[in-house]
């Protein structure tokens, strides 16, 4: 059997290696148009910023490695320009010599990856405009910084790459402006969490321009859609990627609803003996079962392994994803898994939302707070999605939540998880436990919560609602929710007669715990409708501009 693979980065090499493990007799050949193979694309921004000094650490394997270890031939600098499914042949061009030749296959794997989205921009001279696509583009950006020593840079896009480039350019002493065409930053976060993150970044003196895009790029400045001119010595375009499907489409392979290659659970395309994997394919959501396009390195490696197994007779099959993602931004960690609030509503779920602010470990071990937003389905009480912004310990919490969602956990099960505890690592009741407790209280214990957005809407519309600030008077005087009256928790029982039991009531404190205690007092005193403000005044204040 002769197996040909198009693409030698994450998915392609993973498919070839798995195929070799299953079948030691097969001929396996990979064609790659670039010079570098099997590299860590997610590490490239950190090479540019100097945190990774040697780019060789990101490209640990070369064609000789695969030849010696796996008996796999990899031809770099060779671009596949045509797939002929009827004859089971490829047409390949040697980029250096411009010579074209044919090769045949019994099984074919398409791992052509993704291509950076190129917006329609009027650019005069583009030596200082970069797309971080591969190892060579990372080298070019770093060389430009070292030689030209730019003072100001502009980044278009606030996804993973955009923010990672922000951090690493600033580490080089470059003044950075970041542009986002949407009304909020970070596509994987809901508006309230994006607003919380933006507020945190603004405090770090980072310039973020939303609802804007680039129209013209000149040598020393950029003109935006609203006419603003931003001085810039270099431009990084990080406006996302699109699946590289030209070859597949021309070969008659069916594309999916997302525009990526449609595959089944074993990575088979619509054409017999042709498989596809990595950033060029669409996958599906574990929760909804619907097609999604999520170009992530982890998914590329996984789908590559499945393709290599399936084409050699294996039984591995893809089980879906949760769009789980995480990135580092200065001292912050931002992570998400499952459905966002917006996505859950679009799917027709009746949801409950909570915002939980807790430290990753005790203060005597320098614990730092993280904000956890969780979304659950009221009908089934299953967890649907989680977003976290914090400092330390975000990664392990998001992985716990991803596991819970994958296996259909209900919110009341979170409290009963036997998670590892010791003061250097966590609190006695972990933030995961607290998230489950808040949601379970809201769904099953008659302790409803209200989001900052909903509370603002009710107050701004003049709805009949009484707001109780359960913090101490000094905190109330410094800042408060509009229309709130101050009834510190310690005095609430004495002052409760000033409130109307028949009017909907919102209680709050700094982060939610004392607000919940005040809520309990009012409910036990016969108040008909009492809500605790999700995330307390801290989240309310930080998201006021959402």
């Amino acid at each position: 059997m002769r197996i040909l693979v198009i693409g030698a980065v994450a998915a392609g090499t993973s498919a070839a290696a798995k195929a070799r493990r299953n079948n030691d007799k097969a001929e396996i050949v990979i064609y790659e148009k670039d010079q570098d193979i099997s590299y860590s694309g997610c590490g490239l921004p950190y090479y540019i910023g100097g945190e990774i000094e040697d780019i060789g650490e990101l490209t640990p394997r070369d064609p000789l490695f695969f030849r010696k270890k796996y008996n796999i031939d990899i031809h770099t600098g060779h671009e596949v320009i045509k797939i002929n499914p009827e004859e089971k042949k490829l047409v390949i061009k040697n980029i250096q010599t411009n010579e074209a030749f044919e090769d045949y296959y019994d099984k074919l794997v398409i791992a052509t990856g993704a291509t950076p989205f190129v917006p329609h921009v009027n650019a005069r001279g583009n030596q200082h405009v970069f797309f971080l696509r591969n190892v060579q583009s990372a080298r070019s950006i770093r060389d430009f910084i070292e030689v030209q020593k730019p003072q100001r840079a502009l980044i278009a896009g606030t996804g993973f790459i955009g923010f990672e480039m922000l951090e690493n350019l600033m580490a080089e002493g470059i003044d950075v402006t970041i542009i986002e065409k949407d009304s909020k930053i970070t596509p994987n976060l809901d508006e309230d969490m994006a607003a919380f993150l933006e507020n945190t970044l603004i405090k770090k003196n980072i310039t973020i321009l939303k609802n804007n895009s680039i129209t013209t790029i000149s040598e020393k400045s950029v003109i935006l859609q609203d006419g603003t001119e931003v001085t810039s010595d270099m431009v990084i375009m990080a406006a996302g990627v699109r699946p590289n499907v030209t070859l597949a489409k021309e070969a008659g392979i069916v594309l999916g609803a997302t525009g990526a290659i449609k595959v089944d659970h074993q990575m088979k395309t619509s054409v017999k003996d042709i498989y596809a994997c990595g950033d060029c394919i669409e996958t599906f959501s574990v929760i909804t079962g619907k097609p999604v396009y999520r170009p992530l390195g982890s998914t590329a490696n996984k789908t590559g392994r499945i393709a290599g197994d399936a084409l050699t007779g294996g039984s591995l099959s893809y089980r879906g994803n949760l769009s789980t993602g995480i990135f580092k931004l200065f001292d912050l960690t931002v992570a998400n898994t499952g459905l966002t609030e917006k996505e859950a509503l679009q799917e027709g779920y009746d949801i409950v939302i909570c915002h939980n602010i807790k430290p990753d470990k005790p203060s005597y071990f320098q614990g730092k707070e993280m904000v956890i937003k969780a979304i659950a389905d009221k009908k089934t009480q299953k967890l649907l999605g989680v977003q976290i912004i914090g400092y330390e310990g975000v990664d392990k919490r998001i992985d716990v939540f991803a596991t819970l969602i994958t296996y259909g956990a209900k919110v009341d099960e979170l409290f009963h998880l036997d998670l590892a505890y010791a003061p250097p690592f966590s609190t006695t009741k972990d933030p995961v436990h607290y998230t489950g407790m808040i949601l379970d209280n809201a769904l099953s214990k008659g302790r409803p919560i209200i989001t900052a957005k909903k509370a603002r809407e009710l107050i701004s519309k003049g709805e009949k609602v009484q707001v109780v600030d359960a913090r101490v008077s000094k905190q109330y005087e410094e800042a408060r929710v509009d229309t709130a009256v101050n009834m510190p928790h310690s005095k609430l029982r004495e002052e409760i007669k000033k409130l109307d039991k028949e009017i909907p009531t919102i209680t709050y404190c700094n982060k939610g715990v004392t607000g919940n205690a005040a809520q309990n007092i009012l409910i036990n005193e016969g108040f008909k409708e009492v809500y605790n403000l999700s995330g307390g005044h801290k989240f309310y204040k930080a998201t006021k501009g959402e």
Side-chain angles (χ1 to χ4, degrees):
M1 178 168 64
R2 185 171 176 81
I3 301 167
L4 298 186
V5 181
I6 308 173
V9 189
T13 53
S14 181
K18 181 58 179 173
R20 171 59 74 222
R21 292 186 187 101
N22 287 2
N23 187 329
D24 203 50
K25 301 295 184 183
E27 298 176 84
I28 305 176
V29 179
I30 305 177
Y31 291 105
E32 170 57 54
K33 66 179 181 180
D34 288 334
Q35 292 300 319
D36 301 287
I37 67 166
S38 192
Y39 55 83
S40 173
C42 301
L44 295 176
Y46 302 99
Y47 165 73
I48 293 168
E51 190 169 337
I52 298 171
E53 294 183 4
D54 182 6
I55 202 165
E57 294 182 42
L58 302 177
T59 57
R61 300 179 182 90
D62 59 12
L64 184 59
F65 169 88
F66 279 89
R67 179 63 185 167
K68 285 183 174 180
K69 183 167 184 176
Y70 294 110
N71 192 25
I72 293 171
D73 291 320
I74 300 181
H75 301 287
T76 59
H78 284 69
E79 181 181 8
V80 176
I81 57 177
K82 185 178 181 181
I83 301 171
N84 186 336
E86 290 78 19
E87 297 182 17
K88 288 194 169 183
K89 289 182 179 179
L90 303 182
V91 179
I92 304 107
K93 182 177 74 173
N94 183 321
I95 294 174
Q96 186 174 1
T97 65
N98 215 32
E99 173 194 5
F101 60 94
E102 291 185 340
D103 197 354
Y104 75 93
Y105 64 84
D106 296 304
K107 305 281 187 180
L108 174 65
V109 178
I110 301 173
T112 45
T115 304
F117 172 66
V118 182
H120 298 292
V121 173
N122 179 20
R124 296 193 296 275
N126 58 9
Q127 298 303 309
H128 66 307
V129 180
F130 300 94
F131 294 85
L132 184 55
R133 186 180 71 85
N134 53 23
V135 173
Q136 185 52 52
S137 59
R139 289 192 184 101
S140 298
I141 294 170
R142 183 155 167 175
D143 289 346
F144 181 88
I145 292 171
E146 291 177 350
V147 174
Q148 300 298 328
K149 302 189 184 312
Q151 300 298 304
R152 293 165 296 275
L154 183 141
I155 298 173
T158 59
F160 295 165
I161 295 296
F163 273 139
E164 288 167 351
M165 284 303 303
L166 168 69
E167 176 181 0
N168 284 283
L169 291 181
M170 290 184 70
E172 293 289 325
I174 299 171
D175 183 21
V176 182
T177 298
I178 193 158
I179 307 295
E180 173 55 56
K181 67 179 178 62
D182 291 331
S183 60
K184 72 174 186 69
I185 62 172
T186 319
N188 56 318
L189 296 180
D190 280 314
E191 285 188 12
D192 52 0
M193 293 293 277
F196 184 89
L197 177 61
E198 183 179 356
N199 183 274
T200 305
L201 295 177
I202 289 171
K203 290 177 182 176
K204 295 179 181 289
N205 297 315
I206 294 166
T207 302
I208 301 171
L209 304 177
K210 298 179 297 182
N211 291 308
N212 230 322
S213 57
I214 298 172
T215 59
T216 304
I217 301 174
S218 60
E219 189 176 347
K220 290 293 180 182
S221 69
V222 172
I223 306 297
L224 305 182
Q225 192 174 33
D226 66 358
T228 301
E229 184 173 2
V230 180
T231 302
S232 179
D233 304 313
M234 70 180 298
V235 177
I236 304 291
M237 305 299 288
V241 297
R242 303 293 184 270
N244 194 348
V245 297
T246 303
L247 269 177
K249 188 176 181 181
E250 290 176 351
I253 294 170
V254 173
L255 304 184
T258 65
I261 299 172
K262 185 176 182 178
V263 294
D264 68 8
H265 291 193
Q266 287 200 303
M267 304 300 121
K268 296 175 184 176
T269 70
S270 60
V271 176
K272 182 177 171 57
D273 294 326
I274 298 182
Y275 299 74
C277 52
D279 290 354
C280 62
I281 68 166
E282 73 176 19
T283 53
F284 64 93
S285 165
V286 169
I287 300 170
T288 68
K290 294 182 179 180
V292 293
Y293 179 61
R294 297 293 185 266
L296 295 169
S298 53
T299 304
N301 275 279
K302 193 179 298 179
T303 56
R305 177 179 171 84
I306 292 169
D309 184 68
L311 66 86
T312 49
S315 60
L316 279 179
S317 65
Y318 190 65
R319 299 183 183 182
N321 66 66
L322 293 170
S323 304
T324 306
I326 189 168
F327 65 93
K328 174 181 175 292
L329 185 54
F330 305 106
D331 53 349
L332 289 168
T333 304
V334 182
N336 69 285
T337 189
L339 301 181
T340 63
E341 175 188 352
K342 182 178 179 181
E343 289 169 341
L345 292 172
Q346 288 173 342
E347 291 296 329
Y349 287 101
D350 184 14
I351 58 175
V352 61
I353 299 162
C354 80
H355 300 83
N356 176 25
I357 303 177
K358 291 289 184 295
D360 65 301
K361 50 185 175 284
S363 59
Y364 55 83
F365 266 104
Q366 292 75 52
K368 294 183 178 179
E369 287 181 348
M370 64 179 73
V371 179
I372 301 175
K373 176 177 181 176
I375 301 108
D377 176 28
K378 287 183 179 179
K379 182 179 179 181
T380 64
Q381 298 198 0
K382 288 184 178 181
L383 195 62
L384 297 176
V386 174
Q387 298 157 44
I388 310 179
I389 300 172
Y391 297 90
E392 298 176 6
V394 171
D395 53 346
K396 76 172 185 176
R397 272 79 186 197
I398 205 69
D399 285 342
V400 170
F401 284 123
T403 304
L404 289 166
I405 296 171
T406 297
Y407 292 102
K410 295 184 178 182
V411 298
D412 65 339
E413 296 176 272
L414 275 62
F415 171 72
H416 297 285
L417 290 172
D418 188 15
L419 301 177
Y421 162 70
F425 306 104
S426 62
T427 50
T428 49
K429 285 199 289 288
D430 192 84
V432 173
H433 293 136
Y434 275 112
T435 301
M437 291 160 61
I438 296 167
L439 290 171
D440 187 36
N441 281 342
L443 288 170
S444 303
K445 307 294 191 298
R447 299 298 186 266
I449 45 186
I450 187 169
T451 64
K453 182 179 180 180
K454 182 64 176 176
R456 276 193 287 269
E457 288 175 356
L458 290 176
I459 295 167
S460 64
K461 290 178 181 177
E463 298 281 349
K464 201 169 186 182
V465 59
Q466 51 195 0
V467 183
V468 177
D469 186 323
R471 301 174 300 162
V472 298
S473 299
K474 183 180 177 182
Q475 293 172 322
Y476 173 81
E477 293 298 333
E478 289 174 352
R480 69 191 75 91
V481 173
D482 294 341
T483 76
V485 295
N486 186 215
M487 293 186 179
H489 175 243
S490 61
K491 299 179 181 179
L492 182 56
R493 291 178 180 87
E494 302 167 17
E495 301 187 22
I496 202 167
K497 292 179 181 178
K498 297 177 183 178
L499 300 173
D500 188 337
K501 294 182 179 182
E502 304 301 319
I503 296 176
T505 305
I506 299 172
T507 61
Y508 73 89
C509 59
N510 278 328
K511 292 173 284 189
V513 175
T514 304
N516 174 244
Q519 179 188 37
N520 288 333
I521 291 171
L522 297 183
I523 290 173
N524 287 329
E525 288 293 330
F527 281 68
K528 300 289 179 64
E529 192 177 347
V530 186
Y531 301 89
N532 187 22
L533 181 62
S534 185
H537 184 264
K538 185 168 188 174
F539 194 77
Y540 177 91
K541 181 181 178 181
T543 60
K544 204 164 186 178
E546 69 170 292

